[in-house]
Amino acid sequence: DGGITQSPKYLFRKEGQNVTLSCEQNLNHDAMYWYRQDPGQGLRLIYYSQIVNDFQKGDIAEGYSVSREKKESFPLTVTSAQKNPTAFYLCASSIQGGQEQYFGPGTRLTVT
Amino acid sequence: QQPVQSPQAVILREGEDAVINCSSSKALYSVHWYRQKHGEAPVFLMILLKGGEQMRHEKISASFNEKKQQSSLYLTASQLSYSGTYFCGTVEINRDDKIIFGKGTRLHILP
């Protein structure tokens, strides 16, 4: 089955700790994206990558970092510099930029 | 620039029609529509391209007015399964093919 997976589904961390969210796809898509979803705010773009070893900042990149060493994987690190990290994080992929996006099930991160 | 969706929320009875609007201040190459059910990931409905035709997904259709940078989603004879939050996403001309999503329109269908 082709698809996009995120793990874990729920994640709890103490303030001041970095945490890495996993995103894997086996759709052979070139483009991958990370979004943050807060109530009433829609989907806000954190980072995106249109090709391996290249990525660009989205609208709210501060306090986050990513890597794209393999086509299938696009992990997101939430650093201690992110002031309000508690949110629902969604990863997506598309054949190429600007095309239909397939979303993973999301990771709900709670930082206390 | 985040597109503006209206209305923010809609409550309908099953069988009624609804229109959701999406407006941008930027020149657009395409508009995407997604639906997200509570606790689930967004699911793609359709994409409207500059110069393209009106699209349809089951009893849901959409239009794209390039000159006004506006798109509308039409839900005809709504079904209970249409409940959820609808997001439009815009791709601006010459802006790296990234999709900028609106804040969403919550649609609740009553039996």
Side-chain angles (χ1 to χ4, degrees), chain B residues 11-66:
Chain B
I11 300 176
L12 297 176
R13 292 216 171 266
E14 199 173 5
E16 292 182 337
D17 302 339
V19 180
I20 299 172
N21 299 302
C22 176
S23 179
S24 174
S25 61
K26 302 290 186 179
L28 300 177
Y29 175 74
S30 65
V31 178
H32 296 226
W33 286 97
Y34 290 77
R35 177 172 62 206
Q36 184 180 30
K37 292 188 179 287
H38 185 68
E40 298 180 9
V43 173
F44 174 81
L45 292 176
M46 62 188 79
I47 180 173
L48 298 110
L49 300 174
K50 184 175 177 337
E53 298 177 354
Q54 185 174 23
M55 298 298 292
R56 175 174 288 278
H57 171 82
E58 298 174 348
K59 289 187 178 180
I60 300 173
S61 61
S63 62
F64 176 26
N65 186 325
E66 300 152 33

Side-chain angles (χ1 to χ4, degrees), chain A residues 37 48 50 97-98 100-101 104, chain B residues 32 34 36 41 44 96-97 99:
Chain A
Q37 189 170 33
Y48 63 109
Q50 302 210 53
E100 171 187 351
Q101 291 187 6
Chain B
H32 296 226
Y34 290 77
Q36 184 180 30
F44 174 81
D96 296 330
D97 290 335
I99 300 175

Side-chain angles (χ1 to χ4, degrees), chain A residues 33 35 37 40-45 48 50 56-59 88 90 97-105, chain B residues 2 29-30 32 34 36 39-44 47 87 91 95-104 106:
Chain A
Y33 312 82
Y35 294 94
Q37 189 170 33
Q41 294 300 313
L43 303 166
R44 292 187 290 170
L45 184 63
Y48 63 109
Q50 302 210 53
Q56 287 79 40
K57 292 182 179 180
D59 300 317
F88 187 51
L90 284 160
Q99 301 300 309
E100 171 187 351
Q101 291 187 6
Y102 293 78
F103 283 83
Chain B
Q2 190 174 35
Y29 175 74
S30 65
H32 296 226
Y34 290 77
Q36 184 180 30
E40 298 180 9
V43 173
F44 174 81
I47 180 173
F87 294 99
V91 177
R95 287 304 302 268
D96 296 330
D97 290 335
K98 65 180 182 181
I99 300 175
I100 307 297
F101 286 94
K103 293 185 177 183
R106 294 187 309 280

